[in-house]
Amino acid sequence: MSNQNVFTLINPQNGNLAFKLLPFDDNSHFDHLQRNNFFSLIWVTKGKGKVKADFAEHQFEENSLLAFSPYQPYMLCVNEPIEGIAIHFHPDFYCIHFHQKEVSCNGVLFNNVYQPPFTIITEEASATFKMVLEQMKIEIQNTDLAQYESLVSYLKIFLITASRLKNQQLEEMKSVPDSKEPIILQNLKDAIELNFKTKHSAGNYADLLNISPKALAKLSKNYFNKTLTDLISERIIIEAKRELYMTNKTVKEIAYELGYDDEHYFSRFFKTNADVSPQLYRETVGFGRMTD
């Protein structure tokens, strides 16, 4: 593919990628394991295949929007050509954590450990995306005043449209009798959200829910396509990443708040799951000091 259609903005302060529009007509960008220091939205407009992300594998269809957070491991496996466009943006360019009230995509599009990392795109959303992407292409070539603000505005529209659609699809799934999660799994999700900072083992949750570890493990694998240990680890890592980015707490403080007395053990755990050390994550993803 010609690089003429690729639009990239570089952060002049550190030389990192800030924002990028990447049209693709094959899988060469995604056929190997990705661990990037930016957010990625990959809209597959033609073709289908399998996405490997974190600890799970999922089938995706044509017109799927895949969403990945910084250092979230993923790769696409396809047997037929795929086409589409990817949007990459660094947290320094736009941070979904700071703007959660505006776009509400954290825990929906991104960092949702209980759902596949994609959204099925409707005709209506597709029309919005095409319009927004055209405006982004124009704006990214426009170096006039407020280019950054304008691009961020279009990115917000894209994220809000996708988040609303994903929420709608999750609600519709709940109303289909065959796809209803057993109540024990809803209780498991609630238990993980309440206790992941203090309870780190699968056995802890089996005890809490009064079910045998084996039965709970089987349910988790069947419904989430992940082991219970993977779910807990992912949830801890998401919180650790958020703290590393949004606060100036030391790694030791973050480790302690997440239930780890040994900072070195926690750092090894983080590196095993994120493929970078907590320090390197903070250095490459950035450190968003809270601003008024």
Side-chain angles (χ1 to χ4, degrees):
M1 166 167 284
S2 162
N3 284 332
Q4 291 174 328
N5 298 320
V6 179
F7 303 94
T8 307
L9 274 186
I10 299 297
N11 183 335
Q13 292 177 313
N14 54 26
N16 284 342
L17 177 126
F19 182 86
K20 183 174 190 173
L21 288 180
L22 174 72
F24 57 88
D25 56 11
D26 60 30
N27 193 35
S28 59
H29 297 286
F30 315 115
D31 63 0
H32 48 290
L33 193 66
Q34 305 288 304
R35 287 181 186 269
N36 304 314
N37 67 347
F38 43 75
F39 291 97
S40 292
L41 293 160
I42 302 167
W43 182 19
V44 179
T45 54
K46 285 187 182 170
K48 59 184 179 179
K50 184 166 64 176
V51 53
K52 296 182 178 182
D54 292 307
F55 304 100
E57 292 183 6
H58 305 277
Q59 297 293 330
F60 68 87
E61 300 293 323
E62 191 165 285
N63 251 330
S64 293
L65 178 72
L66 298 97
F68 305 104
S69 299
Y71 287 109
Q72 182 178 4
Y74 72 89
M75 68 184 287
L76 307 186
C77 307
V78 300
N79 295 319
E80 57 184 89
I82 59 169
E83 289 180 27
I85 188 163
I87 302 174
H88 301 313
F89 63 98
H90 193 277
D92 285 346
F93 179 80
Y94 187 73
C95 177
I96 65 166
H97 297 297
F98 289 150
H99 301 283
Q100 176 65 2
K101 285 181 182 168
E102 291 173 27
V103 295
S104 303
C105 59
N106 187 38
V108 180
L109 281 185
F110 301 102
N111 298 327
N112 183 341
V113 301
Y114 309 105
Q115 298 294 336
F118 56 79
T119 309
I120 308 301
I121 303 307
T122 60
E123 277 185 39
E124 189 182 359
S126 179
T128 303
F129 284 175
K130 284 174 184 171
M131 179 270 292
V132 169
L133 285 162
E134 281 311 306
Q135 292 301 320
M136 284 177 172
K137 286 175 189 174
I138 293 165
E139 200 55 48
I140 208 166
Q141 297 171 86
N142 177 4
T143 54
D144 286 351
L145 190 67
Q147 178 198 39
Y148 163 84
E149 282 76 9
S150 184
L151 272 172
V152 165
S153 298
Y154 291 123
L155 179 60
K156 280 187 199 173
I157 295 168
F158 197 101
L159 290 169
I160 289 166
T161 304
S163 297
R164 284 177 179 168
L165 191 56
K166 178 95 173 189
N167 264 330
Q168 191 183 323
Q169 288 170 9
L170 293 176
E171 286 304 313
E172 285 166 5
M173 273 173 60
K174 286 178 188 173
S175 62
V176 178
D178 289 347
S179 72
K180 276 197 173 175
E181 289 173 0
I183 192 72
I184 190 81
L185 287 183
Q186 187 54 58
N187 292 344
L188 172 62
K189 290 198 284 191
D190 293 343
I192 291 173
E193 291 305 309
L194 281 171
N195 299 287
F196 70 89
K197 292 181 182 179
T198 53
K199 298 185 189 302
H200 299 161
S201 78
N204 291 151
Y205 292 91
D207 291 344
L208 272 177
L209 300 173
N210 203 17
I211 180 174
S212 79
K214 196 174 178 182
L216 190 58
K218 190 176 178 185
L219 277 170
S220 174
K221 194 68 181 163
N222 286 347
Y223 279 83
F224 300 127
N225 204 14
K226 298 172 185 174
T227 68
L228 184 47
T229 302
D230 290 342
L231 279 179
I232 300 159
S233 297
E234 265 188 69
R235 187 62 190 87
I236 293 165
I237 291 298
I238 283 169
E239 191 68 15
K241 286 177 175 178
R242 197 185 77 86
E243 290 291 308
L244 285 164
Y245 184 82
M246 290 191 68
T247 74
N248 59 2
K249 293 171 187 168
T250 64
V251 173
K252 188 174 185 177
E253 286 173 308
I254 294 169
Y256 186 74
E257 285 178 12
L258 289 172
Y260 294 89
D261 293 331
D262 185 340
E263 176 193 349
H264 302 293
Y265 178 86
F266 169 75
S267 290
R268 284 196 301 274
F269 168 77
F270 187 94
K271 187 165 185 185
T272 299
N273 287 278
D275 206 44
V276 285
S277 67
Q279 291 85 354
L280 191 59
Y281 181 87
R282 185 171 258 169
E283 285 164 20
T284 54
V285 171
F287 171 42
R289 292 170 178 80
M290 294 297 279
T291 53
D292 295 328

